[in-house]
Amino acid sequence: PMELNFMFPKYELQDELPESFNASVQYEFGIGTSPHDANVNPMTSIRDVQFTARNGTMVSYTWNVEDRHISLVDGQTYYVIMKAYDLTGATAEIRTSQGTMIDLMPPNVTEARVLLDVDIHGPYSISWHGFQSLSGVKDYTVTLLRNDKLYNVTSVAGDQRSVQGLLDPNDVTNGTLFSAEVVGISMAGLPSSKVRSPAVVPMPDSGIMNSQVIIGVGVGVTLGCLLTAGIVAFFVARYIKRQNAKTKEERWLRKLNNS
């Protein structure tokens, strides 16, 4: 059955009566959709309250919502109202809770997305967004999968949207696939459906990769220039050789004609 738990500070008499007379203080509780207005469950005298916390300074009580035939609407905020009074009928200041939103549905993941980035040297980052809940998201359960098998699980607060970690380098091998799953848990304790990232293969860090690319391009250009220079030198030498041979042939023909 659904239960509504609440707690308030304990009241004590302010006059000169003996301490035992504090036991005569009575409590009334009610439920409403706004503070100080018990429009859902009228103020009702409750006698079997529990005194908790250190030295019994707090009054606690649990209402069984179904037993009281209270119908709570999803998305509505409800307030618990408390009033204390003594044997003479004198009442204390009414106290009201901060309000509790009824959230019967798990977080909506229609727009939720999860992204995973894994570096070949071990660092990884998981980020997510789009989890929606009426009561808000209390926390997230983040699961990292290696080749579709559980690698580790992390729990983070509901106001966070990313988590970073470091893999064992021995677990980052050629062809290893990693993916991440995120579950949002509402303030009412309801878990969402799992949202999984696309599977990724570890890639080099962008800074390292860019420097490698720059070095590679530089070496490539240098080799290209050397190769081009070598080809040009080859054809120039070949051309000069042919010109020298032609010149010798022309001289020989002129000598032959003159003889």
Side-chain angles (χ1 to χ4, degrees):
M2 296 177 58
E3 293 184 338
L4 182 62
N5 304 305
F6 48 91
M7 185 181 299
F8 288 92
K10 177 183 177 182
Y11 282 85
E12 293 185 354
L13 298 174
Q14 298 297 316
D15 49 30
E16 300 300 326
L17 293 174
E19 182 72 19
S20 60
F21 276 70
N22 285 320
S24 66
V25 177
Q26 303 297 314
Y27 297 91
E28 288 186 351
F29 294 96
I31 300 177
T33 55
S34 63
H36 308 293
D37 184 8
N39 58 355
V40 175
N41 191 96
M43 300 298 293
T44 304
S45 179
I46 304 294
R47 297 186 180 277
D48 54 343
V49 295
Q50 300 293 321
F51 297 101
T52 60
R54 183 176 296 180
N55 299 325
T57 56
M58 299 294 289
V59 177
S60 90
Y61 192 74
T62 300
W63 249 337
N64 187 302
V65 176
E66 291 183 348
D67 288 348
R68 288 189 167 271
H69 306 289
I70 300 174
S71 179
L72 302 180
V73 179
D74 187 32
Q76 176 67 55
T77 299
Y78 293 91
Y79 300 84
V80 176
I81 304 164
M82 185 194 74
K83 180 174 69 175
Y85 59 94
D86 62 16
L87 292 177
T88 66
T91 61
E93 179 183 358
I94 293 177
R95 292 181 178 269
T96 307
S97 69
Q98 294 182 348
T100 301
M101 176 180 284
I102 302 302
D103 189 0
L104 303 178
M105 299 297 293
N108 188 311
V109 297
T110 304
E111 302 296 329
R113 298 291 182 273
V114 178
L115 300 175
L116 171 64
D117 181 30
V118 182
D119 184 80
I120 58 174
H121 300 290
Y124 69 88
S125 174
I126 305 171
S127 59
W128 60 90
H129 63 86
F131 290 78
Q132 300 177 352
S133 172
L134 285 174
S135 60
V137 178
K138 181 181 180 182
D139 48 41
Y140 294 96
T141 300
V142 184
T143 303
L144 181 63
L145 303 169
R146 178 179 181 272
N147 288 332
D148 214 29
K149 295 181 179 180
L150 176 65
Y151 187 83
N152 63 35
V153 179
T154 307
S155 180
V156 299
D159 59 351
Q160 296 188 33
R161 296 293 181 273
S162 64
V163 64
Q164 290 77 40
L166 183 64
L167 300 170
D168 186 331
N170 295 326
D171 294 329
V172 185
T173 56
N174 186 30
T176 305
L177 288 176
F178 288 90
S179 58
E181 289 181 346
V182 177
V183 174
I185 303 174
S186 71
M187 292 293 184
L190 300 175
S192 72
S193 300
K194 295 179 181 178
V195 180
R196 178 180 287 203
S197 73
V200 299
V201 176
M203 297 293 291
D205 178 80
S206 58
I208 297 175
M209 185 168 61
N210 288 340
S211 63
Q212 291 174 343
V213 169
I214 292 173
I215 294 172
V217 170
V219 172
V221 170
T222 302
L223 292 176
C225 291
L226 292 175
L227 179 60
T228 302
I231 293 174
V232 171
F234 170 77
F235 280 104
V236 169
R238 186 176 180 182
Y239 174 78
I240 292 174
K241 184 177 181 180
R242 286 184 176 180
Q243 287 296 107
N244 292 336
K246 186 177 181 180
T247 300
K248 289 181 179 179
E249 184 178 356
E250 289 177 349
R251 288 177 181 175
W252 183 82
L253 289 175
R254 280 199 299 270
K255 289 181 180 180
L256 182 63
N257 291 331
N258 292 331
S259 61

